Amino acid sequence: MEPAIVTFTDPPSEKFGRLMSIPDDMILKYLELAAFAEPNEIQKAKEEQKEAAQWSRWQALLDAHLNPEPQVALGQRLAACRCVTAMQDISDGVATDLAHICEESGTGSILHAERLPFLPVLDDAVRFVGKEKMDLLLKGGEDYQLLFTVDPHRERELKERLPDELYRRLVPVGVITEGRCVLLEHQDGSRSDITFQGLSLIHISEPTRPY
């Protein structure tokens, strides 16, 4: 096979940063292909570069997962106002962590699917990666956001006790009910059981000590 002839030119300065932002392993692949490659291999590498560039559009999603901001200030305020009846950070997904709250409280709950908050760019990202948005919202972990319950009669008090910038970030997503299940209510009114359907962790008990 004859080596492909590749001519290198200096990239425009405004594009240099974009070129260097692609993953290192892809840069190495380009160098390898440029030295000895079929034209169709070079075209394939170009397509892979275009695909990799897509990820920069979803940097907010990557940052939220890889560099989450613990809601310490909000948690301290909620604890101080004494309006909250239960609270937990979301580390194993809403479906599982809400189930923990319900299990400890001896209750059930209903989540409203259309009220679950998400970044607008998520719609585009899930199409690209071929995932279901609702699965990620319910089952994805390491969010480090706070999930808590408040007596409906004390919601106004909660609003008065929290600074506006914190209160505006709160999103009511469901209600506590009788029963033992966490139910997801869809827009058509149907419901499905999502109890403990988030991340599953393996728990290893301490070995029994011989007497």
Side-chain angles (χ1 to χ4, degrees), residues 21-159:
S21 68
I22 65 176
D24 289 343
D25 59 341
M26 195 164 288
I27 293 175
L28 294 176
K29 182 180 292 186
Y30 263 99
L31 294 176
E32 180 182 346
L33 287 172
F36 194 84
E38 293 281 1
N40 64 325
E41 290 179 309
I42 294 179
Q43 180 61 32
K44 180 180 178 181
K46 288 181 178 179
E47 292 173 357
E48 290 179 353
Q49 181 195 29
K50 182 179 179 181
E51 181 176 300
Q54 295 270 11
W55 290 97
S56 63
R57 298 162 52 189
W58 307 315
Q59 190 61 47
L61 297 175
L62 297 174
D63 289 342
H65 184 71
L66 299 176
N67 301 295
E69 180 181 351
Q71 303 301 309
V72 177
L74 176 59
Q76 291 174 333
R77 287 280 189 168
L78 290 173
C81 75
R82 299 186 180 278
C83 297
V84 173
T85 53
M87 180 165 58
Q88 180 166 326
D89 73 310
I90 303 174
S91 56
D92 296 336
V94 175
T96 287
D97 288 322
L98 179 54
H100 282 307
I101 289 178
C102 291
E103 184 178 54
E104 293 298 319
S105 305
T107 64
S109 61
I110 297 175
L111 276 178
H112 301 291
E114 75 278 4
R115 297 184 188 176
L116 295 174
F118 59 90
L119 294 174
V121 72
L122 181 62
D123 285 319
D124 193 26
V126 293
R127 284 193 294 268
F128 180 75
V129 298
K131 299 291 184 180
E132 291 291 333
K133 180 173 74 173
M134 193 55 60
D135 279 348
L136 296 181
L137 292 177
L138 294 172
K139 304 174 184 179
E142 309 306 329
D143 299 277
Y144 291 98
Q145 300 300 310
L146 295 179
L147 179 67
F148 63 93
T149 59
V150 178
D151 186 323
H153 301 293
R154 302 189 68 182
E155 286 188 41
R156 183 169 183 174
E157 180 183 351
L158 176 68
K159 181 178 181 179

Side-chain angles (χ1 to χ4, degrees), residues 191-202:
R191 295 175 179 175
S192 53
D193 189 343
I194 59 169
T195 310
F196 287 111
Q197 290 189 19
L199 291 178
S200 297
L201 301 179
I202 299 175

Side-chain angles (χ1 to χ4, degrees), residues 172-184:
V173 295
V175 294
I176 297 298
T177 65
E178 294 182 350
R180 292 292 187 272
C181 297
V182 176
L183 301 177
L184 178 68

